[in-house]
Amino acid sequence: MHPFIYNALPTRVIFGFGTVTQVADEMCGLGCRRALVLSTPHQAGDAAQLAAQLGELSAGCFTEAAMHTPVEVTAQALKVVEQAGVDCVIALGGGSTIGLGKAIALNTDLPQIVIPTTYAGSEATPIIGQTENGLKTTQRTLKVLPEVIIYDIDLTLTLPVQMTVTSGMNAIAHAVEALYSKDANPLISMLAEQGIAAIARAIPRIHADPLDREARSDALYGAWACGTCLGAVGMSLHHKLCHTLGGSFDLPHAETHTVVLPHAVAYNSEAAMEAIGRVARALGVDNAARGLYDLAAVHGAPTRLADLGMAPGDVTRAVEIACASPYWNPRAIEPGGISDLLENAFTGKRP
Ligand code: NAD
């Protein structure tokens, strides 16, 4: 066994069907009496329903959450928090809504109850990314770690199939990078394998039947497992490339993770042979990079950065940005190799 350091994160997790009915009890458990419910405009109806369910415990809704946590949206939400005399926030939605809840907590120290409806995994991390003047910066602080996560499988039944696949691949990416992280530890590596396997077996079943409750349950469990991995250990090349492509080229988050992951795994496959062998084992394939590519391609997810709005000339600039301040990675960051990786991701070449 290699030496390791492990920090457990303090979060209460409730997982099951119909668990959204437990929000009021959880608020009382935190000693809170007045919540602001957060969502994107798309999920405003669900937020209103939750606010109605909470009755006097609700101070209303703020439904303007947006991708990459723009600071302007956070400023608007903070005004509402102050005017309404709120003592906690409830984020109902995917990573964008959870990001807004975290930004409010960062500024106010208010407790957060989080009800995730995608597989992005942000709820289980003390990480926040915020965008200001077109630049996305990320920080790790326990101030943004949600106090309570309520996973309600029923709320994920409406997640469209393509978003299910890309969000699931986003989750798998967290577990893959946890397995070869420089601060990997045996508990998180075990969870990473379980998370990858749970999502990989859920995707074909949800693709065949989006209302398959057992498959949805596997996927959401996998999302928690993979998010916990991201929260516990460091990220490497794959996340750096996705942050670059999202932050500087405005490419969509989950789709970009889906396209880049097989190529990042191929780049690292020799330098992190044991970890990537575990990824292959969890997927039930011989070659992890090809297995990930096929998991996306067979289930209708994008495989080309060219299809996500990237221009051919952007690859050179993306290589420069990603290589200028790289994250630790098992294989040295070589601009020529990163350029090949991004070209392959641009054209959608199977690794
Ligand atoms: P998202 O939250 O932007 O959701 C995409 C769209 O799907 C939204 O319109 C949303 O309302 C809708 N949606 C969500 N759940 C739904 C459901 N069950 N049914 C129908 N529609 C639903 O997408 P995302 O990929 O979950 O989050 C991306 C954001 O999360 C990015 O900003 C990313 O940086 C952040 N993120 C942060 C971390 C972290 O640890 N800090 C981790 C992962 C992602």
Side-chain angles (χ1 to χ4, degrees):
M1 179 60 63
H2 299 292
F4 64 88
I5 295 172
Y6 171 62
N7 279 308
L9 294 174
T11 301
R12 178 172 158 83
V13 177
I14 294 163
F15 186 95
F17 291 99
T19 50
V20 74
T21 54
Q22 297 176 37
V23 175
D25 288 346
E26 291 305 318
M27 275 182 69
C28 294
L30 290 170
C32 296
R33 306 297 305 161
R34 206 165 154 74
L36 183 65
V37 180
L38 310 173
S39 77
T40 61
H42 180 74
Q43 289 175 292
D46 296 326
Q49 204 175 326
L50 175 57
Q53 173 194 312
L54 290 174
E56 287 186 352
L57 291 175
S58 163
C61 302
F62 180 86
T63 58
E64 299 301 322
M67 185 88 71
H68 305 308
T69 326
V71 292
E72 303 78 21
V73 175
T74 303
Q76 282 173 33
L78 285 170
K79 272 192 202 143
V80 177
V81 164
E82 200 185 322
Q83 283 160 5
V86 163
D87 63 9
C88 71
V89 290
I90 302 176
L92 173 69
S96 297
T97 305
I98 295 168
L100 175 61
K102 286 177 164 182
I104 294 172
L106 184 66
N107 283 279
T108 61
D109 266 336
L110 286 180
Q112 308 166 66
I113 297 176
V114 174
I115 309 167
T117 61
T118 70
Y119 307 124
S122 176
E123 65 278 4
T125 81
I127 302 168
I128 178 168
Q130 301 185 92
T131 311
E132 186 167 16
N133 300 325
L135 212 72
K136 186 165 178 175
T137 52
T138 300
Q139 56 175 301
R140 222 174 234 271
T141 159
L142 282 175
K143 277 179 97 167
V144 304
L145 184 74
E147 278 70 9
V148 179
I149 308 173
I150 299 181
Y151 287 107
D152 187 335
I153 301 150
D154 287 325
L155 298 180
T156 63
L157 295 175
T158 50
L159 190 64
V161 170
Q162 177 154 349
M163 219 186 287
T164 295
V165 180
T166 55
S167 192
M169 295 294 293
N170 182 192
I172 288 177
H174 304 330
V176 167
E177 294 235 291
L179 280 163
Y180 57 60
S181 167
K182 79 172 165 190
D183 44 7
N185 67 71
L187 188 76
I188 291 300
S189 295
M190 197 168 62
L191 198 60
E193 267 196 68
Q194 279 219 8
I196 295 169
I199 290 179
R201 69 174 177 264
I203 284 177
R205 286 145 65 212
I206 296 172
H207 187 255
D209 175 10
L211 299 180
D212 181 332
R213 288 158 63 84
E214 275 315 304
R216 288 287 186 186
S217 174
D218 277 350
L220 197 57
Y221 162 69
W224 171 52
C226 294
T228 301
C229 293
L230 177 68
V233 298
M235 303 173 258
S236 301
L237 172 68
H238 168 77
H239 281 81
K240 177 67 194 187
L241 291 175
C242 293
H243 291 167
T244 302
L245 295 170
S248 302
F249 300 90
D250 206 24
L251 300 197
H253 179 82
E255 291 88 340
T256 303
H257 272 271
T258 304
V259 173
V260 171
L261 184 62
H263 303 285
V265 166
Y267 183 89
N268 281 332
S269 58
E270 282 185 22
M273 211 176 282
E274 197 219 326
I276 288 175
R278 292 180 77 167
V279 175
R281 185 166 74 190
L283 293 168
V285 298
D286 294 333
N287 180 300
R290 281 184 214 130
L292 290 165
Y293 182 93
D294 294 345
L295 186 61
V298 167
H299 299 104
T303 54
R304 295 161 16 111
L305 291 177
D307 292 339
L308 303 184
M310 191 164 179
D314 290 342
V315 169
T316 311
R317 196 156 65 88
V319 174
E320 280 168 17
I321 297 171
C323 294
S325 57
Y327 300 165
W328 179 90
N329 190 61
R331 175 176 160 190
I333 301 297
E334 298 149 9
I338 301 302
S339 177
D340 291 346
L341 183 169
L342 284 178
E343 283 294 348
N344 290 339
F346 184 77
T347 56
K349 187 171 170 216
R350 186 171 182 258

